[in-house]
Every structure is written in C-alpha cells, then in structure tokens.
Amino acid sequence: MRITLLFSALLLAGPAAAQDIEALKLDTREKALPVLPKVVKMMQDTVADKGVAGAIPVCKDKAPALLKARAEELGWKMRRVSLKTRNPERGTPDAWETAQLTAFDLRAAAGEPASALEVGEVMTQADGTKMFRYMRAIPVGDVCLSCHGDPANIAPDLKAELDKSYPQDHATGYAKGQIRGALTIERPL
Ligand code: HEC
C-alpha cells in the first residue's frame, strides 16, 4: 500500500513539474518581455532623431535602466548577457547562461527562429530556496547593425567613440537575424 502510494506520488510529480515550468515561462514572458520591443522602438526613434552616435545612450543606459526598473517592480533580477560582449562588466554570462546561449546558437542553426528561443529551469540554491531562471534570445534587427554589424560598415566617428569606451569590444560582425545575446531573469519562488 505504502509503495503504491509512493509510486503514484512519483508519477504525479513528473507531469506536474513540467506543467509548473510551462506556467512559469508563460507568466515570465507576459510580465518581462514587453520591455524588449520598447527598447527596439526607443532605439529606432533615437537613431531617427539624433543619428546613430546619438543613440549610444539607448543601449548603454536606457535599456539597462528599463530592465532594472521592471525587475524592481517584479522583485526579480533582469539583465542582458552575450557570448560576445561589448561591455564585459555588465554582460558576461555565468556558466548556466553560457550553456543556454550556446544551445540557442545551435537551435537557431537548426532552423528555430531566433526571436522565439527561450529556456526556463527551476533551480535549488545553496540555501535551499528555489528560483526560476529564464532566458530569452535577443535577435539582431536592422537598427542594431549600425553598431553591432560588420566593423567595415561602422561609421568612423562612431567607431572612434565605441573604441574609446569599449577597448575590448567583441560585439560586432553580426548579421540580421543572428542572436545578439539574451535577456536573463532570476525569479525567486
Ligand atoms: C547606437 C549604437 C548601438 C545600437 C544601434 C545598438 N547597440 Fe547594443 N550596445 C551598444 C553599446 C554602446 C553597448 C554597451 C552597453 C553597456 O555599456 O553596457 C551595447 C550593448 C548591447 C547588449 C549588451 C551585451 C553587450 O554586448 O555588452 C545587447 C544585448 C545589445 N547591445 C543588443 C542590441 C540590439 C538587439 C540592438 C538593436 C535593437 C542594439 N543593441 C543596437 C550600442 C548600440
């Protein structure tokens, strides 16, 4: 009897956990993802208004500030990471994030659209509390290319400005549709 009960509990735990993850992904998507198109729109408007060099502060200050503000509202942590960073202090992924970004590149190469790539996992931390980690790929769009595209096509004055602030810039050479990096979220459970 005991064994049967234990067995049923185990059977229930499997599918329930998978459902939990789907529900958490959905909820995280709904609450966090609207920030991403806002940044793209702000970038497009600022480039149109002030030119490309004038739009540097959008990626440098506005995007991180928007993410931080939304994360604080939600009580989560949110930032951008990349395998090829422009700002290594802010954008360097940890081991789990590096593995997910590498998997995103493989999934994109196998035909999945970059804009739909996501992953979510429940993790137990060292202190025993649980956390949901989520990542969503950030694809390269047309407006990104002037600062993250082929270095040969980056305007000389802009290049000089980027070189000055980012002597270790790895974030060029991207083509439209590639994965620039990801939004990464830590959500306490
Ligand atoms: C006007 C130039 C410019 C444009 C256009 C631009 N970026 Fe950036 N991007 C930067 C700068 C500067 C940084 C470094 C930010 C910092 O100091 O944290 C950066 C950093 C990033 C990062 C953080 C990881 C890293 O490399 O340090 C991501 C992700 C990113 N950009 C994505 C995009 C996307 C997606 C677009 C198009 C929607 C875009 N950028 C358009 C200038 C630009």
Side-chain angles (χ1 to χ4, degrees):
M1 178 66 185
R2 256 210 188 144
I3 288 173
T4 320
L5 271 179
L6 181 65
F7 188 60
S8 332
L10 280 176
L11 274 181
L12 281 174
Q19 269 170 14
D20 284 353
I21 295 208
E22 282 316 306
L24 276 167
K25 272 193 196 166
L26 179 69
D27 189 63
T28 305
R29 229 181 270 148
E30 280 175 356
K31 289 183 172 142
L33 294 195
V35 179
L36 294 181
K38 269 191 209 160
V39 173
V40 178
K41 169 96 177 41
M42 194 186 277
M43 185 56 93
Q44 287 162 339
D45 291 349
T46 313
V47 168
D49 248 27
K50 302 188 174 162
V52 177
I56 287 180
V58 176
C59 236
K60 186 178 182 175
D61 305 316
K62 298 274 170 55
L66 274 177
L67 289 180
K68 192 161 174 263
R70 186 67 186 129
E72 273 167 14
E73 274 169 17
L74 294 164
W76 304 352
K77 279 192 197 156
M78 282 162 64
R79 65 186 187 118
R80 299 175 303 173
V81 286
S82 174
L83 291 175
K84 294 201 302 170
T85 52
R86 174 154 287 164
N87 185 342
E89 275 170 40
R90 275 171 164 174
T92 301
D94 68 15
W96 184 79
E97 288 162 338
T98 301
Q100 307 314 319
L101 283 165
T102 307
F104 281 173
D105 280 338
L106 291 172
R107 286 165 62 185
E112 282 187 62
S115 57
L117 291 169
E118 65 172 4
V119 65
E121 220 173 290
V122 173
M123 298 193 182
T124 306
Q125 294 168 282
D127 65 0
T129 57
K130 292 207 166 175
M131 166 168 83
F132 183 61
R133 294 197 78 176
Y134 174 88
M135 282 174 75
R136 179 88 179 190
I138 300 176
V140 174
D142 283 321
V143 74
C144 320
L145 294 175
S146 42
C147 290
H148 295 295
D150 184 344
N153 297 336
I154 298 183
D157 57 332
L158 178 66
K159 189 160 183 329
E161 200 154 325
L162 290 174
D163 285 348
K164 204 169 56 183
S165 306
Y166 307 102
Q168 301 182 339
D169 187 3
H170 295 291
T172 57
Y174 286 94
K176 189 178 173 182
Q178 284 185 323
I179 300 166
R180 180 59 267 275
L183 171 68
T184 179
I185 296 176
E186 291 178 22
R187 181 177 172 171
L189 294 178

